C-alpha cells in the first residue's frame, strides 16, 4: 500500500515563487501567457533592454576612470597588467555572494531585515579570500622579474578591499531589490558588477598612489 503526503503551499511561499520565477510558476492558467517558448525575440528585447541600457551607461564610467589615471598607467605600465584581474575577481566574488543570498531569499532563510548579518559575513569572507589571493600575487612579484614588488604589494592590498566591497554589494543588492519589489535574479547581479567595475578601478589606483608614492 502506497501513501502520498501532499502539503499545500503557503501564501508566503506562493509570493516568493511569483517574485523569483514569475506568475507561471504558481498559476497554471497563465502558463500559455507567460511561457519562454511563446516569447518572440521582440518580447525578450523589450523585457531586458531598459536594464541593460542603464547598466551600459554605468559601465562607461570604467572608461572615464581609466582616462583619469592615464598618466599613472603611462609611467607605470605594470599596473595595467592587473586591471583585468581586479575587475574579474570583483565580478566573480560578488556574483558568488549574489547567488548565495538570492538562494537564501528564495528558500526563506533571509529577509531584508537581515542585512546587517549579511554585510558582516560577506565582508569578512570577501576580505579573507582577497587577502589569500593577494598574498599569492605579492609572492609572484618576488619571483617574476617583469613585475616590481611595489606593484605586487599594491595588488595585495587592493584585492582584499575590492573583494570586501564586491561581496557586500553582492549580498545587499538582492535584499534591496526584493524589498523594493524587483526580481533580484534580473537586476542585482548586473547592477553589482556595474558598480564594482568602476569603483574597483578607483580603489586600485588610489592604493597604487599611496603605496608607490605616485
Amino acid at each position: 500500500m502506497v501513501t502520498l503526503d501532499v502539503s499545500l503551499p503557503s501564501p508566503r511561499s506562493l509570493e516568493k515563487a511569483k517574485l523569483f520565477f514569475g506568475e507561471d510558476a504558481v498559476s497554471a492558467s497563465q502558463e500559455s501567457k507567460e511561457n519562454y517558448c511563446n516569447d518572440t525575440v521582440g518580447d525578450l528585447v523589450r523585457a531586458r533592454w531598459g536594464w541593460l541600457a542603464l547598466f551600459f551607461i554605468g559601465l562607461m564610467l570604467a572608461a572615464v576612470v581609466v582616462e583619469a589615471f592615464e598618466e599613472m598607467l603611462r609611467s607605470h605600465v605594470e599596473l595595467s597588467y592587473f586591471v583585468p584581474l581586479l575587475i574579474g575577481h570583483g565580478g566573480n566574488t560578488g556574483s558568488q555572494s549574489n547567488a548565495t543570498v538570492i538562494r537564501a531569499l528564495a528558500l526563506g532563510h533571509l529577509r531584508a531585515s537581515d542585512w546587517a548579518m549579511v554585510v558582516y559575513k560577506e565582508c569578512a569572507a570577501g576580505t579573507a579570500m582577497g587577502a589569500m589571493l593577494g598574498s599569492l600575487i605579492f609572492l609572484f612579484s618576488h619571483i617574476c622579474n617583469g613585475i616590481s614588488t611595489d606593484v605586487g604589494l599594491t595588488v595585495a592590498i587592493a584585492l582584499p578591499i575590492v573583494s570586501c566591497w564586491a561581496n557586500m554589494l553582492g549580498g545587499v543588492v538582492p535584499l534591496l531589490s526584493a524589498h523594493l519589489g524587483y526580481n533580484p535574479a534580473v537586476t542585482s547581479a548586473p547592477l553589482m558588477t556595474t558598480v564594482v567595475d568602476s569603483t574597483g578601478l578607483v580603489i586600485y589606483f588610489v592604493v597604487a598612489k599611496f603605496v608607490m608614492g605616485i
Side-chain angles (χ1 to χ4, degrees), residues 17-175:
K18 291 179 182 179
L19 174 62
F20 287 95
F21 306 110
E23 295 288 340
D24 56 333
V26 295
S27 177
S29 63
Q30 295 186 5
E31 182 177 356
S32 61
K33 295 181 180 180
E34 300 185 14
N35 190 320
Y36 179 84
C37 296
N38 296 333
D39 288 339
T40 65
V41 173
D43 293 332
L44 298 178
V45 171
R46 283 190 294 272
R48 301 175 184 176
W49 82 270
W51 286 110
L52 290 178
L54 179 62
F55 298 143
F56 179 79
I57 295 173
L59 287 172
M60 292 176 64
L61 294 176
V64 176
V65 172
V66 172
E67 192 276 335
F69 292 93
E70 181 181 4
E71 291 299 324
M72 181 189 297
L73 290 173
R74 283 183 178 178
S75 57
H76 298 83
V77 180
E78 297 168 80
L79 290 172
S80 64
Y81 301 164
F82 295 98
V83 167
L85 183 147
L86 264 295
I87 294 178
H89 174 74
N92 290 339
T93 187
S95 295
Q96 288 181 330
S97 172
N98 187 266
T100 301
V101 171
I102 287 178
R103 182 177 183 273
L105 279 170
L107 294 175
H109 298 166
L110 279 179
R111 293 175 296 178
S113 58
D114 298 321
W115 65 269
M117 177 187 66
V118 172
V119 168
Y120 168 73
K121 286 187 175 182
E122 294 301 332
C123 285
T127 302
M129 292 184 292
M132 288 187 289
L133 296 175
S135 63
L136 293 178
I137 297 297
F138 185 58
L139 178 62
F140 180 72
S141 69
H142 284 78
I143 300 173
C144 180
N145 294 328
I147 301 174
S148 68
T149 54
D150 284 345
V151 173
L153 181 59
T154 297
V155 177
I157 295 174
L159 204 59
I161 300 174
V162 172
S163 186
C164 174
W165 172 236
N167 266 33
M168 188 193 73
L169 288 177
V172 170
V173 172
L175 297 177

